[in-house]
Amino acid sequence: MSNLESILTENRIFPPNPAFSARARIDSKAAYDRLVAEAEADYEGFWARLAREFVTWDTPFSTVLDAHRAPHYRWFTEGRLNASVNCIDRHLPTKANKIALIAEADDGSVRHISYQQLHDQVAQLANGLRSLGIAQGDRVIIYMPMIPEASIAMLACARIGAIHSVVFGGFSAEALRDRINDTGARLIITADGGMRGGRAVPLKAAVDKAIEAGCPSVEKVVVYERIGNACLTEGRDIAWATLTAAQPSTCPPVMVEAEHPLFLLYTSGSTGKPKGVQHSTGGFLVNACMTNAWVFDLTDDDVYWCTADVGWITGHSYVTYGPLALGVTQVMFEGIPSYPDGGRFWQMIERHKVSVFYTAPTAIRALMKLGDAIPAQYDLTSLRLLGTVGEPINPEAWMWYHRVIGAERCPIADTWWQTETGAHMIAPLPGAIATKPGSCTLPLPGIIADIVDDEGNPVGHNQGGNLVIKKPWPSMIRTIWGDDARFARSYFPEKLKGYYLAGDSARRDDDGYFWIMGRIDDVLNVSGHRLGTMEIESALVAHPKVAEAAVVGKPHEIKGEAVVAFVVCKGERPQGAEAEAMVNTLRDWVAEQIGPIAKPDDIRFGDNLPKTRSGKIMRRLLRGIAIGELPQGDVSTLENPAILEQLLGK
Ligand code: 7RM
């Protein structure tokens, strides 16, 4: 890994906007440096201070970090708390009537829910769950559309100490069944359906199918009626409205230990069955609060909007738990960015006066492809900060986001983190850190990130290597549900000196800025040069006719691996002679942008790329297609399965 080469050069730099810094919590590079120094001088003291500042404890902790069972680290051991109290009850004395959720449905109708109303609804559902016999430690599957009741269900579980596992509403019955069975859930909370882009998503039908196929642990199903199509199975299903109707709107919270699992969230690895990532209550909340306060700089007057679904970790830390724990007003959106047209996001920002907006590079690129005229129709002056997450953002898309959406005024927080890390790890503090397009900048104070070779030794500046976190942090993964050995093997491999292995490759530039180069599994080896996929993709997307690109390797007799690029063009997909000409143009372009070594041997055009439901390109499938094989195995987590055939040319 130590000879992983970096070929991307990006020299633009954007200092913090002085107007932003003037009101930011962390307002200068010096303030950032002081926090880094504080954590360095007294690591446990630093985290203890933040844990007391951001989280309300019912019983204070005395131990900060317990490393006896490393890598199963424990944080804030004696502390007791309840996550729903932190997200709701503690705000009631001062802001009971403040709007917690502005929920816009697919059809544009809007509901406002105050913190008091949120409290009452969470309490009623929590009491309802109790009446069904659900108690501390029981697992509950949540399979819901992006409506307030999804967050309410999560918070109701947290209130009684039940462990929730949210399954994204776009997953199939099979994917759902696997997750139900791995958790051994006693209860499922779902809706009759959800609405996305004018079409109903039949959630309850998928639950029925999953249970029919065999989910022996499931006793009850709670069904929220969203689309007026609830079909209840006698003795097993109960309507949400029926369950909650007669319940009191107060519910004494269960004060759990800091290490009590708040939730499990499944994430698919490159091989093997999905991993149930287990998060704690105390440590998770500390980092969720701290990053919403520092990276998004959320304050009482903000209207915050994270477009992620609650089925992803981003929806846990940056929709349900973090923003509510800080007591802010947030927008929650059921639909999709392209419905009724590609102006939906910008229209919603104007309508709700959104000030902090957080979305994924895949959405930014898709909207960029539609041109500048659409966002220009809306008043986006309420925005003060933009964020991205999920993938490396190519400089081209970064610049568009900065110029067209942020009017060159809003800082961009490119946030690197993972399901396993629970919260942002490397991201700019926008009032303090200058940004560079395509870099997630510097580790947050208290996060000891580095880039090392396969033996755990630091590599030099501008050399690619393994991204690691050298010390435990509060919101880190605790284990893989039911598989401690896989947890240790995957994230703390012996040769790496006890560091947490993120599985990403990255480099640091001369200023110490981190540049993510892609997943380690995706690294190419062309004639002995190890190249990250991200840089070649970035060069391709910089061409004015290219909307999206994915790069993989395929075996090559002489070079070891050859570069294969899958490209989506702006406008129509080129065919015949036009495609041939475009192939030559792009090969020359890449050679010119980064050098002949990265020149694709093979370029294929598609209308789209195979992506996970959260928008990540599935390079594993593309590697199969590159050698002419229709991928075998589970493709149910794929957003658009039909694209595989097109890319294969079948
Ligand atoms: C939050 C989330 C994690 C993987 C991670 C990276 C990639 C996420 C960025 C990024 C470059 C970013 N959790 N990734 N954010 N790569 N820059 N800002 O996405 O568990 O679903 O995925 O996503 O490869 O390891 S996740």
Side-chain angles (χ1 to χ4, degrees):
M1 181 56 78
S2 56
N3 65 340
L4 182 66
E5 286 173 39
S6 179
I7 43 190
L8 181 87
T9 41
E10 169 59 60
N11 298 319
R12 287 170 287 202
I13 180 153
F14 296 85
N17 175 346
F20 189 99
S21 302
R23 54 161 288 189
R25 276 196 185 74
I26 296 158
D27 58 1
S28 63
K29 180 67 169 33
Y32 167 85
D33 290 339
R34 277 196 297 278
L35 289 165
V36 170
E38 180 191 344
E40 226 162 70
D42 178 9
Y43 193 69
E44 292 191 18
F46 171 83
W47 285 114
R49 174 173 78 77
L50 295 182
R52 290 186 188 110
E53 193 173 307
F54 284 114
V55 170
T56 301
W57 299 86
D58 189 61
T59 308
F61 56 86
S62 40
T63 309
V64 181
L65 171 61
D66 171 1
H68 284 99
R69 289 182 55 243
H72 298 277
Y73 295 96
R74 300 164 57 85
W75 285 86
F76 314 121
T77 321
E78 307 78 10
R80 285 182 171 268
L81 75 166
N82 182 282
S84 80
V85 168
N86 274 274
C87 293
I88 308 172
D89 304 48
R90 65 167 169 169
H91 307 314
L92 296 182
T94 53
K95 39 181 133 168
N97 295 324
K98 179 171 179 171
I99 299 303
L101 301 174
I102 303 173
E104 182 162 323
D106 190 56
D107 68 3
S109 58
V110 175
R111 282 193 284 165
H112 288 92
I113 298 177
S114 69
Y115 273 94
Q116 184 66 54
Q117 290 167 327
L118 185 64
H119 169 271
D120 296 358
Q121 293 180 31
V122 167
Q124 286 188 308
L125 182 63
N127 287 326
L129 297 180
R130 266 195 185 132
S131 75
L132 297 176
I134 300 301
Q136 179 169 0
D138 286 340
R139 274 82 64 204
V140 173
I141 292 281
I142 297 176
Y143 187 61
M144 292 284 282
M146 259 310 274
I147 57 176
E149 285 70 20
S151 286
I152 290 170
M154 294 162 79
L155 291 163
C157 289
R159 189 133 193 120
I160 61 173
I163 303 168
H164 63 68
S165 184
V166 183
V167 177
F168 173 56
F171 278 161
S172 65
E174 294 86 284
L176 175 61
R177 188 198 53 195
D178 290 347
R179 287 157 177 77
I180 294 169
N181 288 336
D182 197 67
T183 60
R186 295 180 60 196
L187 184 106
I188 300 175
I189 304 177
T190 188
D192 52 353
M195 295 301 296
R196 277 169 67 85
R199 279 201 289 263
V201 183
L203 296 169
K204 176 58 165 51
V207 169
D208 289 342
K209 196 171 161 199
I211 295 178
E212 253 161 56
C215 294
S217 61
V218 174
E219 296 162 25
K220 294 279 177 201
V221 179
V222 176
V223 185
Y224 180 78
E225 194 173 319
R226 160 72 185 92
I227 60 171
N229 185 27
C231 178
L232 303 180
T233 301
E234 270 286 330
R236 186 195 72 190
D237 299 353
I238 179 161
W240 175 302
T242 313
L243 180 67
T244 55
Q247 295 295 346
S249 55
T250 56
C251 172
V254 173
M255 294 300 169
V256 297
E257 287 176 9
E259 281 298 317
H260 180 69
L262 179 59
F263 63 86
L264 309 175
L265 185 62
Y266 284 80
T267 175
S268 27
S270 50
T271 53
K273 65 170 188 153
K275 301 178 271 198
V277 173
Q278 178 181 321
H279 277 287
S280 71
T281 303
F284 174 79
L285 272 187
V286 170
N287 283 84
C289 289
M290 174 258 219
T291 52
N292 275 281
W294 287 4
V295 179
F296 293 151
D297 196 37
L298 293 181
T299 64
D300 245 351
D301 342 301
D302 275 311
V303 177
Y304 163 79
W305 182 18
C306 166
T307 67
D309 193 281
V310 288
W312 314 121
I313 189 67
T314 309
H316 287 61
S317 313
Y318 300 102
V319 177
T320 300
Y321 290 108
L324 293 177
L326 292 190
V328 307
T329 296
Q330 74 174 306
V331 172
M332 197 169 177
F333 177 43
E334 181 184 34
I336 55 175
S338 55
Y339 180 82
D341 59 48
R344 184 66 181 266
F345 275 5
W346 322 130
Q347 181 204 31
M348 284 180 62
I349 289 171
E350 174 182 290
R351 182 180 191 187
H352 303 299
K353 302 197 165 45
V354 171
S355 55
V356 177
F357 180 66
Y358 190 34
T359 195
T362 179
I364 297 168
R365 281 194 298 270
L367 297 170
M368 174 171 86
K369 195 178 161 188
L370 304 177
D372 298 5
I374 298 175
Q377 292 165 28
Y378 300 97
D379 177 3
L380 304 179
T381 52
S382 57
L383 288 171
R384 67 183 195 94
L385 174 65
L386 301 172
T388 82
V389 61
E391 286 171 280
I393 180 164
N394 48 294
E396 207 58 26
W398 195 103
M399 287 305 299
W400 185 82
Y401 202 28
H402 170 72
R403 183 173 55 79
V404 178
I405 306 307
E408 301 182 3
R409 171 189 78 244
C410 303
I412 295 184
D414 175 353
T415 60
W416 178 85
W417 61 294
Q418 306 176 294
T419 303
E420 294 87 343
T421 69
H424 301 156
M425 296 279 106
I426 309 180
L429 302 181
I433 304 296
T435 54
K436 305 184 186 187
S439 167
C440 50
T441 74
L442 301 175
L444 298 182
I447 302 302
I448 318 300
D450 203 352
I451 297 166
V452 301
D453 64 18
D454 289 340
E455 274 70 53
N457 304 307
V459 302
H461 277 190
N462 290 312
Q463 282 203 305
N466 297 297
L467 177 55
V468 296
I469 313 287
K470 290 178 155 178
K471 283 191 180 196
W473 64 100
S475 66
M476 69 194 297
I477 174 176
R478 294 308 196 258
T479 191
I480 294 172
W481 183 253
D483 201 343
D484 286 351
R486 189 175 177 198
F487 160 76
R489 186 170 74 236
S490 312
Y491 302 112
F492 295 91
E494 251 162 56
K495 52 182 182 149
L496 276 189
K497 306 181 174 173
Y499 301 160
Y500 168 82
L501 177 68
D504 283 349
S505 54
R507 73 175 166 100
R508 288 181 97 158
D509 68 17
D510 294 329
D511 300 325
Y513 277 47
F514 284 73
W515 298 77
I516 307 297
M517 298 166 74
R519 299 289 299 166
I520 290 171
D521 300 344
D522 294 335
V523 167
L524 312 183
N525 191 331
V526 182
S527 309
H529 301 270
R530 288 167 66 82
L531 308 173
T533 50
M534 144 80 193
E535 299 185 312
I536 309 176
E537 289 162 5
S538 214
L540 284 164
V541 179
H543 189 277
K545 287 200 177 134
V546 174
E548 282 222 87
V551 164
V552 299
K554 80 169 175 194
H556 185 279
E557 269 185 22
I558 297 156
K559 298 196 260 191
E561 268 187 306
V563 178
V564 182
F566 295 86
V567 171
V568 181
C569 287
K570 292 183 184 157
E572 290 291 293
R573 174 163 62 105
Q575 303 202 30
E578 199 197 333
E580 267 173 47
M582 190 67 187
V583 166
N584 290 328
T585 307
L586 291 179
R587 283 170 49 85
D588 292 346
W589 171 264
V590 171
E592 193 186 302
Q593 295 279 307
I594 49 186
I597 184 71
K599 205 163 158 173
D601 289 82
D602 188 356
I603 298 183
R604 319 237 184 126
F605 299 102
D607 293 325
N608 215 321
L609 296 172
K611 289 194 187 153
T612 66
R613 307 264 177 173
S614 62
K616 294 194 211 303
I617 296 166
M618 291 180 85
R619 292 189 187 74
R620 172 175 67 87
L621 301 183
L622 289 175
R623 277 195 289 271
I625 290 175
I627 55 171
E629 280 173 10
L630 194 58
Q632 304 294 306
D634 184 22
V635 291
S636 76
T637 55
L638 191 61
E639 168 80 20
N640 48 348
I643 196 63
L644 297 178
E645 310 251 335
Q646 185 190 74
L647 293 173
L648 252 183
K650 292 221 165 121

